[in-house]
Amino acid sequence: MRDEVTEDLWTHFPSETPMSFLDWATSPNLQPTGGNVSNCGAYWGSYGYHMVDVPCSINLKPICEMS
């Protein structure tokens, strides 16, 4: 998931279809926080496996989109 094309419009990659469900982490930091620097999303264990925004240069394991 990413918002590289339009800031704050989170889409699946590579289809660019809008995300229908967003589950942002609220603790310890309200997400998303990275603005134009963090344009990719991840589910992070330290955030209770809720969504966080991260720089797209970070290598993480992918989550596949179902069609």
Side-chain angles (χ1 to χ4, degrees), residues 24 29-36 38 47 52-53:
W24 293 110
N29 296 345
L30 182 64
Q31 296 287 317
T33 59
N36 290 330
S38 297
Y47 288 82
V52 297
D53 62 334

Side-chain angles (χ1 to χ4, degrees), residues 55-61:
C56 295
S57 59
I58 292 177
N59 286 328
L60 299 171
K61 295 179 182 177

Side-chain angles (χ1 to χ4, degrees), residues 4-63:
E4 277 185 304
V5 176
T6 303
E7 186 65 22
D8 293 325
L9 175 61
W10 289 89
T11 60
H12 294 278
F13 179 81
S15 69
E16 301 304 334
T17 56
M19 298 281 298
S20 61
F21 177 76
L22 299 172
D23 186 25
W24 293 110
T26 58
S27 178
N29 296 345
L30 182 64
Q31 296 287 317
T33 59
N36 290 330
V37 174
S38 297
N39 287 321
C40 287
Y43 292 97
W44 210 276
S46 301
Y47 288 82
Y49 295 98
H50 292 281
M51 293 170 55
V52 297
D53 62 334
V54 295
C56 295
S57 59
I58 292 177
N59 286 328
L60 299 171
K61 295 179 182 177
I63 297 174

